[in-house]
């Protein structure tokens, strides 16, 4: 069974940094691209960042480009999101998601909450 | 960036009836289109990929159609558990989501 468990969320002030982690199990991690998707309270889904299986291709939403860095450690079956220069508008539940073979997002974690408050 | 637009924002339908949700892409995404269901307090769940292929364990009451820029998700004979928020998402490039359609009980 595929499991994705996010961690690292919390309360942080604007301008500070936070690192999210996603521990993956139940599948061959280095076979799949991975993504971070966020959802602000009461709002819709926003794709944040994605990374291919070998880190050869990385993408970011314009809203986080230059501030967030995605990475993965295939030896540890883990995905990361380094978030810096955090803003109030970055407040959201951050989901880790695994690519489906089609390219859709086939499996999702339960999310980790990031709250940026001034 | 490919912008996805869903309509309507809210759809009120009675149990047992059919619901039709729409999604439009700002440029062609071919059939690289997925639909997700999200219930309160839960992560999204993949329903449809490739515009029309049901994901594992998704009942046949859910069907998707369309290609290019216009897509539809149809839920026939609505059950109580089907009332939720639905999102479309393109994946021909890095993903982008529609703003969601809330399907509520009439």
């Amino acid at each position: 069974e595929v499991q994705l468990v996010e961690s690292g969320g919390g309360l942080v002030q604007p301008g500070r940094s936070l690192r999210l982690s996603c521990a993956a199990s139940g599948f061959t991690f280095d076979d799949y691209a991975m993504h971070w998707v966020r959802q602000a309270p009461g709002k819709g889904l926003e794709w944040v960042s994605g990374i291919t299986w070998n880190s050869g291709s990385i993408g970011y939403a314009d809203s986080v480009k230059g501030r967030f860095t995605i990475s993965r450690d295939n030896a540890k079956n883990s995905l990361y999101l380094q978030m810096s220069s955090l803003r109030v508008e970055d407040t959201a539940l951050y989901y880790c998601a695994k690519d489906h073979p089609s390219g859709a997002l086939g499996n999702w974690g339960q999310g980790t909450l990031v709250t940026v408050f001034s | 960036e490919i912008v996805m637009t869903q309509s309507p924002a809210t759809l009120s339908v009675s149990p047992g009836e059919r619901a039709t949700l729409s999604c439009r892409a700002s440029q062609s995404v071919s059939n690289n289109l997925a639909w997700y269901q999200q219930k309160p307090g839960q992560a999204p769940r993949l329903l449809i990929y490739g515009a029309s292929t049901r994901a594992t364990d998704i009942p046949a009451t859910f069907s998707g159609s369309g290609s290019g820029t216009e897509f539809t998700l149809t839920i026939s004979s609505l059950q109580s558990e089907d009332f939720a928020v639905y999102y479309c998402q393109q994946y021909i490039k890095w993903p982008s989501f529609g703003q969601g359609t809330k399907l509520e009980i009439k």
Side-chain angles (χ1 to χ4, degrees), chain B residues 20-35:
Chain B
T20 302
L21 289 67
S22 297
C23 175
R24 174 177 293 177
S26 61
Q27 63 188 79
S28 177
V29 300
S30 185
N31 68 336
N32 296 288
L33 190 284
W35 290 94

Side-chain angles (χ1 to χ4, degrees), chain B residues 13-16 36-40 42 45 47 57-62 75-86 103-105:
Chain B
V13 183
S14 300
Y36 301 84
Q37 177 193 67
Q38 188 179 34
K39 297 179 180 180
Q42 295 185 18
R45 176 175 70 148
L47 297 176
D57 295 332
I58 302 303
T61 52
F62 290 88
I75 313 169
S76 63
S77 189
L78 280 162
Q79 307 298 307
S80 57
E81 61 267 27
D82 299 331
F83 292 94
V85 180
Y86 292 84
L103 180 58
E104 64 176 26
I105 300 175

Side-chain angles (χ1 to χ4, degrees), chain A residues 30-70:
Chain A
D30 55 12
D31 276 352
Y32 293 92
M34 298 291 295
H35 304 265
W36 289 99
V37 177
R38 69 184 180 184
Q39 187 168 36
K43 302 299 184 183
L45 302 172
E46 179 188 17
W47 175 80
V48 173
S49 183
I51 185 168
T52 53
W53 68 276
N54 62 350
S55 305
S57 182
I58 287 175
Y60 298 98
D62 288 344
S63 58
V64 306
K65 200 171 294 183
R67 301 187 298 121
F68 289 12
T69 302
I70 192 172

Side-chain angles (χ1 to χ4, degrees), chain B residues 31 33 35 48-54 62-66:
Chain B
N31 68 336
L33 190 284
W35 290 94
I48 300 284
Y49 62 90
S52 60
T53 304
R54 285 188 302 277
F62 290 88
S63 62
S65 63

